[in-house]
Amino acid sequence: MKKLLKYMDGYKIQCILGPIFKALEAIFELFIPLVVKNIIDVGIANSDKPYIFKMVGLLIVLAVVGLSSTLVAQYFAARAACGFSAKLRGALFSHTQSLSYSELDTLGTSSLITRMTSDVNQVQNGVNMFLRLFSRSPFIVFGAMIMAARIDPKVTWIFAATIILLLIVVFSIMAITVPLHKKVQNKLEKTVLLTKENLAGVRVVRALSREAEEETAYNEYNRAMTKALNRAGKVSAVMNPLTYAIVNVGIIALVYNGALSVEASLISQGAVIALYNYMSQILIELVKLANLIVTVTKALASASRIEHTLEEKNSLTYGNEDICTGTVEFKDVALKYKNGGEPAVSGISFFAGKGESVGIIGGTGSGKSTVVNMISRFYDASEGEVLIDGKDIKRFSQNALREKIGVVPQRSVLFRGTVAQNMRMGAPDASDEDIISSLKTAQAYDFIAERGGLDADVEGSGKNFSGGQKQRLCIARALIKKPSILILDDSTSALDFATDANLRKAIRELECSPTLFIVSQRAASVMHADKIIVLDRGEPIDIGTHKELLDRCDVYKEIYYSQFRKDKEASV
């Protein structure tokens, strides 16, 4: 939690004023039993009605002033807690955006979602409760004991014994519940992951009639989380009965001792009532303190998980050089994923000159996407060198790589807004003419014009567009910044052959002449490339032109002839 306190900067005044006003409220509350004592010992004993009315008026004043102090304290505490959580959530999101694919794969999407939502909310609640009660509860507890000692010093041992026993119970339960709450949050992550997968793949689940199986799996995860939550809840639930039992025993001892003292004329009846009120105040505050500790333990468990995420460092380091021409070279490159077994790809060597087109083809899981992910430096090569413009890719700045390399991933992602807003994510300063030009190159302008042009609405995840339309819009978004290197990672799979051919032709005619990498399982998409890399089980089988590979590469021939008749060459 200490490492997260820096996000409290800007709220120091609120963090100070909140507890101060809570302490003022506690001071006014500590005077109330004394006023009640005087009403009994003076007003009622002497039948002095004016005095009683005066003391009742004083009680009302104390109540109003105490309420005002409470409202002010609540305001400052809420302001600090909400501001802190907003800054923390923003920092967590920004840090997540800075991590490489390797760290994101390790942390997991469901874990990050849980930490940015549930965990941050738990920490916010903990901060809010702490600022409201950490000064009030101890102030009331020890203040009540001191005030009671002034009334009757002999009862000090009763208050001291009660407080010590209560603290032992509270902190013992806290020590048990902290690890239990961590387990609950871990179970929650797994439940969130399963929920996310089912919501994202609801159509697949229904198409395969797997609703019952998925519901069973969800119920199992949910039961596991519920079991862990119940275990933590049962331990926490012991706190209130134990605290009430201890305090009630203390009250019995207090009343018994007070009765003896009154009978011996050592203290007044009003003093006994005041002592009882102070013991009740201690009971109420320690119950509040117990709830505070439960909340804080949850917050500490969540804070630990957030700290772990913020401590995750980007494994990639960058230089400060820029890309000029866009040539790409791999020298005996291999990549092994973090916590992986065998290398995903190995022995990759090739050179792509400026403006050349390179096709990468192979079966599912052959490592095609892994190769292009190293060009954009989403992952670093485990062995060998990846060179751009003849220089190690690690010497380039992150901004240079992102600005000069256009990537269209396998999954087409659009964001809620308009077509123009989505396009300007690739180039914020792009004019309408630039956007239209990119849309035309991507073969997307016609259907966009039919929908109202650049101001056409885009629903969340592009749900109002077909698969092929989304792919073309994503390609246009990558083209708009005129990249030196363009990577199409199986991003034309939903296009018909004619549209695919027109797209490749339009890209070849671009003035910026990007070095083009086309990842595909379709031979028609790569057959016109200057060179084709054939991958199988992570290793390059052969590199050459379409005709050369048809003559000598069995793997390529198998892929090609599975898609085209042997007696007729494709004319695409």
Side-chain angles (χ1 to χ4, degrees):
M1 188 69 181
K2 290 182 180 179
K3 295 180 181 178
L4 303 184
L5 292 180
K6 63 181 180 181
Y7 300 107
M8 274 291 188
D9 290 345
Y11 299 97
K12 292 180 180 177
I13 294 177
Q14 288 86 346
C15 291
I16 294 172
L17 291 178
I20 287 176
F21 277 96
K22 268 296 180 181
L24 287 175
E25 178 204 359
I27 290 173
F28 294 126
E29 195 167 324
L30 287 173
F31 283 120
I32 290 176
L34 294 179
V35 177
V36 172
K37 173 180 177 296
N38 289 335
I39 290 174
I40 295 171
D41 290 343
V42 179
I44 295 177
N46 300 325
S47 299
D48 189 346
K49 291 183 179 180
Y51 183 83
I52 293 174
F53 288 136
K54 184 173 69 174
M55 289 296 102
V56 170
L58 179 59
L59 286 176
I60 294 173
V61 171
L62 290 173
V64 171
V65 175
L67 176 62
S68 300
S69 299
T70 299
L71 294 176
V72 174
Q74 298 281 64
Y75 170 77
F76 285 127
R79 181 84 179 271
C82 292
F84 164 75
S85 65
K87 291 176 71 174
L88 178 59
R89 189 178 285 110
L92 189 58
F93 182 81
S94 299
H95 182 72
T96 301
Q97 294 297 310
S98 71
L99 298 176
S100 70
Y101 278 20
S102 181
E103 285 77 42
L104 293 176
D105 292 342
T106 302
L107 291 170
T109 304
S110 61
S111 174
L112 292 173
I113 291 174
T114 303
R115 296 179 194 197
M116 271 188 270
T117 53
S118 176
D119 284 332
V120 173
N121 287 338
Q122 291 280 17
V123 173
Q124 176 183 327
N125 292 335
V127 170
N128 191 9
M129 290 284 287
F130 183 77
L131 291 177
R132 286 164 49 193
L133 296 177
F134 91 95
S135 64
R136 172 189 163 83
S137 293
F139 203 96
I140 288 285
V141 169
F142 293 106
M145 188 173 72
I146 292 170
M147 298 295 280
R150 292 187 62 187
I151 294 173
D152 185 4
K154 291 186 296 181
V155 301
T156 303
W157 70 270
I158 299 176
F159 281 85
T162 303
I163 292 171
I164 291 171
L165 288 174
L166 288 171
L167 291 176
I168 290 173
V169 169
V170 166
F171 284 102
S172 296
I173 291 176
M174 183 180 71
I176 298 172
T177 54
V178 168
L180 291 178
H181 285 302
K182 286 184 180 181
K183 290 182 179 179
V184 170
Q185 289 300 107
N186 290 333
K187 299 288 185 183
L188 177 62
E189 278 185 9
K190 295 180 180 179
T191 307
V192 170
L193 173 61
L194 189 63
T195 305
K196 174 179 173 292
E197 288 178 344
N198 274 273
L199 290 176
V202 62
R203 295 183 180 182
V204 176
V205 172
R206 290 178 180 176
L208 299 175
S209 299
R210 303 291 295 180
E211 292 94 337
E213 289 80 357
E214 292 300 323
E215 184 177 346
T216 301
Y218 178 82
N219 287 335
E220 288 179 1
Y221 277 102
N222 199 36
R223 278 194 293 269
M225 184 182 72
T226 303
K227 185 177 179 181
L229 191 59
N230 285 338
R231 191 180 298 116
K234 287 176 181 177
V235 176
S236 299
V238 174
M239 186 176 294
N240 280 355
L242 283 178
T243 53
Y244 274 102
I246 293 170
V247 170
N248 281 316
V249 171
I251 289 175
I252 292 171
L254 181 66
V255 172
Y256 177 76
N257 186 79
L260 295 177
S261 297
V262 170
E263 187 177 1
S265 300
L266 298 176
I267 60 174
S268 64
Q269 293 175 341
V272 175
I273 299 299
L275 291 173
Y276 174 81
N277 285 337
Y278 281 127
M279 181 63 79
S280 298
Q281 284 183 347
I282 290 174
L283 168 63
I284 293 171
E285 288 308 316
L286 284 175
V287 169
K288 289 181 180 178
L289 184 62
N291 293 328
L292 168 64
I293 289 174
V294 171
T295 302
V296 169
T297 54
K298 293 179 181 179
L300 290 174
S302 294
S304 175
R305 290 154 47 82
I306 293 172
E307 284 181 353
H308 173 72
T309 304
L310 292 173
E311 288 171 355
E312 192 76 35
K313 301 298 182 183
N314 191 340
S315 57
L316 306 182
T317 57
Y318 295 89
N320 54 11
E321 297 194 22
D322 201 355
I323 300 173
C324 298
T325 63
T327 63
V328 177
E329 184 177 4
F330 275 51
K331 290 185 175 181
D332 198 23
V333 170
L335 173 61
K336 181 179 180 180
Y337 288 113
K338 190 174 182 180
N339 300 325
E342 296 296 320
V345 294
S346 59
I348 309 294
S349 297
F350 67 87
F351 176 82
K354 172 63 177 175
E356 284 189 348
S357 58
V358 179
I360 303 177
I361 194 169
T364 302
S366 58
K368 303 185 297 295
S369 295
T370 300
V371 172
V372 293
N373 280 337
M374 286 188 282
I375 299 174
S376 50
R377 212 183 169 205
F378 293 143
Y379 295 97
D380 261 346
S382 305
E383 299 176 13
E385 289 182 303
V386 178
L387 307 177
I388 295 181
D389 295 346
K391 303 172 185 176
D392 193 318
I393 194 172
K394 297 178 183 179
R395 293 169 57 181
F396 294 97
S397 67
Q398 184 179 22
N399 183 64
L401 293 173
R402 300 293 179 262
E403 288 296 323
K404 298 298 179 69
I405 300 178
V407 181
V408 186
Q410 290 177 324
R411 184 181 174 216
S412 302
V413 178
L414 297 175
F415 298 89
R416 183 185 300 275
T418 65
V419 171
Q421 289 171 340
N422 272 271
M423 294 301 103
R424 288 194 172 97
M425 292 186 72
D429 299 327
S431 64
D432 288 351
E433 290 74 17
D434 291 334
I435 296 174
I436 292 172
S437 176
S438 296
L439 289 171
K440 288 181 177 179
T441 302
Q443 313 300 302
Y445 182 70
D446 290 342
F447 68 82
I448 290 300
E450 293 174 359
R451 290 171 177 255
L454 302 185
D455 293 327
D457 289 332
V458 179
E459 295 182 5
S461 301
K463 290 186 294 185
N464 55 331
F465 291 96
S466 68
Q469 289 173 338
K470 285 195 289 186
Q471 285 186 338
R472 282 177 277 174
L473 287 173
C474 290
I475 292 171
R477 185 172 58 197
L479 290 172
I480 199 168
K481 60 183 179 181
K482 299 177 181 179
S484 299
I485 300 171
L486 178 63
I487 299 172
L488 304 181
D489 186 2
D490 204 15
S491 51
T492 60
S493 58
L495 304 185
D496 59 80
F497 287 106
T499 303
D500 188 8
N502 291 333
L503 171 64
R504 285 184 276 107
K505 180 182 177 182
I507 291 175
R508 285 196 298 268
E509 293 173 353
L510 287 173
E511 292 183 6
C512 60
S513 299
T515 304
L516 178 63
F517 288 86
I518 303 173
V519 174
S520 181
Q521 296 184 29
R522 296 197 319 194
S525 297
V526 302
M527 60 189 295
H528 297 290
D530 296 316
K531 60 169 62 78
I532 302 170
I533 304 171
V534 183
L535 296 178
D536 185 35
R537 297 182 181 180
E539 296 183 356
I541 301 301
D542 203 346
I543 299 176
T545 64
H546 170 67
K547 290 185 178 180
E548 291 172 344
L549 293 174
L550 277 181
D551 291 336
R552 68 185 187 221
C553 183
D554 293 336
V555 173
Y556 184 78
K557 284 192 288 186
E558 182 180 351
I559 294 172
Y560 178 78
Y561 287 124
S562 68
Q563 300 170 16
F564 298 101
R565 289 170 52 186
K566 290 187 178 181
D567 59 347
K568 186 176 181 179
E569 289 286 317
S571 59
V572 181

